[in-house]
């Protein structure tokens, strides 16, 4: 399992407990949704996966074979290099081109060969359908294109796991659908995708494993594929 949580309690930075007794497993290639109302603990749960929030109370809490209960601060960058994170507000560097955004990430994680860097950037931009936008600035792109670049950034290092926090939250219906198609395709290549969302229509259209956060608990729920009308 890429993620194995057993009886995990999740706290916000303020010290408020938002989820109690979480049991949660994710395997390679799974598409997993975390659904629930605003403030129900979805984002806090995701933050524990990449150690933005600590886990102090759990029977077991492992991500990519690392024990999050004992992971030291100096080990967190190593974990984060093995997963990709996609945010609702893109978090691109607005003072540099798409190419330089992606190059910055590869250099930061230790890539040195310029030919290899350029080849990998072209590969991911081709995968997301934006190779022709490589030299554009983020503010020259639509919201959907910026989110695609954010996904490209997340898959640069071929991670086993992508964590996406409301990746379609700021997008219109058609654009959200295209982003969901991309994430679904990525999961089908073997990379697990764990995403929070309040867009239940997308969950029905692209079914996967789903967990609902409600009243301080997180429980698995059954999502049926929407019928074509």
């Amino acid at each position: 399992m890429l993620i194995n949580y057993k009886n995990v309690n999740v706290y916000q930075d303020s010290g408020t407990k938002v989820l109690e007794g979480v049991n949660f497993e994710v395997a390679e290639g799974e598409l997993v949704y975390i659904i629930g109302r605003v403030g129900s603990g979805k984002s806090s749960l995701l933050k524990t996966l990449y150690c933005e929030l600590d886990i102090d109370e759990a029977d077991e809490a492992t991500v990519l074979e690392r024990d999050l209960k004992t992971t030291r601060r100096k080990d967190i960058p190593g974990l984060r290099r093995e997963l990709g994170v996609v945010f609702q507000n893109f978090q691109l560097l607005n003072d540099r081109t798409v190419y330089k955004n992606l190059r910055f990430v590869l250099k930061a994680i230790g890539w040195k060969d310029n030919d290899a860097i350029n080849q990998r950037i072209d590969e991911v931009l081709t995968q997301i359908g934006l190779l022709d936008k490589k030299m554009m600035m983020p503010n020259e792109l639509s919201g959907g294109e910026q989110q695609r670049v954010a996904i490209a950034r997340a898959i640069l290092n071929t991670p086993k796991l992508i964590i996406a926090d409301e990746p379609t939250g700021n997008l219109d219906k058609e654009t959200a659908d295209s982003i969901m198609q991309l994430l679904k395709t990525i999961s089908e290549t073997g990379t697990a995708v764990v995403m929070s969302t309040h867009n239940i229509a997308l969950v029905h259209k692209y079914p996967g494993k789903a967990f609902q956060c409600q009243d301080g608990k997180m429980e698995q729920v059954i999502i049926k594929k929407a019928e074509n009308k």
Side-chain angles (χ1 to χ4, degrees):
M1 288 292 169
L2 302 181
I3 299 172
N4 191 0
Y5 274 23
K6 293 182 179 176
N7 200 28
V8 174
N9 292 339
V10 176
Y11 289 82
Q12 296 174 328
D13 275 328
S14 63
T16 302
K17 185 192 294 184
V18 287
L19 292 170
E20 182 174 14
V22 171
N23 294 296
F24 180 50
E25 291 183 341
V26 177
E28 289 186 11
E30 285 192 307
L31 175 61
V32 180
Y33 297 100
I34 311 298
I35 61 176
R37 295 180 177 178
V38 174
S40 61
K42 303 189 304 296
S43 292
S44 295
L45 174 77
L46 295 188
K47 287 178 180 179
T48 67
L49 297 175
Y50 55 93
C51 298
E52 185 71 20
L53 290 176
D54 294 333
I55 292 177
D56 297 316
E57 300 171 355
D59 291 339
E60 186 169 350
T62 59
V63 173
L64 302 179
E65 300 183 347
R66 287 174 167 80
D67 185 348
L68 300 190
K69 295 186 296 178
T70 59
T71 295
R72 294 170 292 181
R73 285 284 134 196
K74 69 182 184 69
D75 298 323
I76 291 174
L79 169 65
R80 291 178 179 171
R81 279 194 292 269
E82 294 182 30
L83 51 81
V85 183
V86 180
F87 300 96
Q88 179 177 348
N89 59 354
F90 321 136
Q91 294 196 10
L92 300 176
L93 300 172
N94 291 317
D95 63 343
R96 60 197 73 187
T97 63
V98 168
Y99 167 78
K100 289 185 177 180
N101 263 272
L102 301 181
R103 179 182 171 85
F104 176 82
V105 173
L106 289 176
K107 297 287 281 188
I109 61 179
W111 288 50
K112 294 182 172 61
D113 185 278
N114 285 327
D115 289 340
I117 288 171
N118 291 337
Q119 180 179 344
R120 183 58 185 152
I121 290 172
D122 283 355
E123 286 173 354
V124 296
L125 288 177
T126 298
Q127 185 175 347
I128 66 164
L130 288 182
L131 183 60
D132 60 332
K133 309 285 187 180
K134 181 165 69 172
M135 294 304 174
M136 296 182 71
M137 302 293 285
N139 64 7
E140 298 177 297
L141 304 176
S142 69
E145 288 170 338
Q146 290 186 63
Q147 191 60 291
R148 283 178 175 268
V149 175
I151 292 170
R153 180 182 58 195
I155 62 176
L156 273 171
N157 211 31
T158 319
K160 294 181 180 178
L161 173 65
I162 288 178
I163 300 164
D165 192 0
E166 295 278 4
T168 64
N170 289 334
L171 306 175
D172 61 65
K173 182 178 178 181
E174 183 176 348
T175 305
D177 192 85
S178 71
I179 293 298
M180 200 59 242
Q181 288 179 22
L182 177 58
L183 291 172
K184 177 72 170 174
T185 299
I186 289 170
S187 72
E188 290 169 349
T189 68
T191 297
V193 176
V194 178
M195 63 173 282
S196 65
T197 185
H198 60 265
N199 191 332
I200 301 303
L202 283 181
V203 179
H204 283 288
K205 187 171 183 179
Y206 301 96
K209 186 188 290 186
F211 293 83
Q212 183 170 24
C213 297
Q214 186 174 342
D215 299 327
K217 300 289 185 180
M218 189 176 90
E219 297 181 348
Q220 189 170 356
V221 292
I222 303 300
I223 302 293
K224 294 182 179 180
K225 185 176 177 63
E227 296 181 3
N228 294 324
K229 296 182 178 179

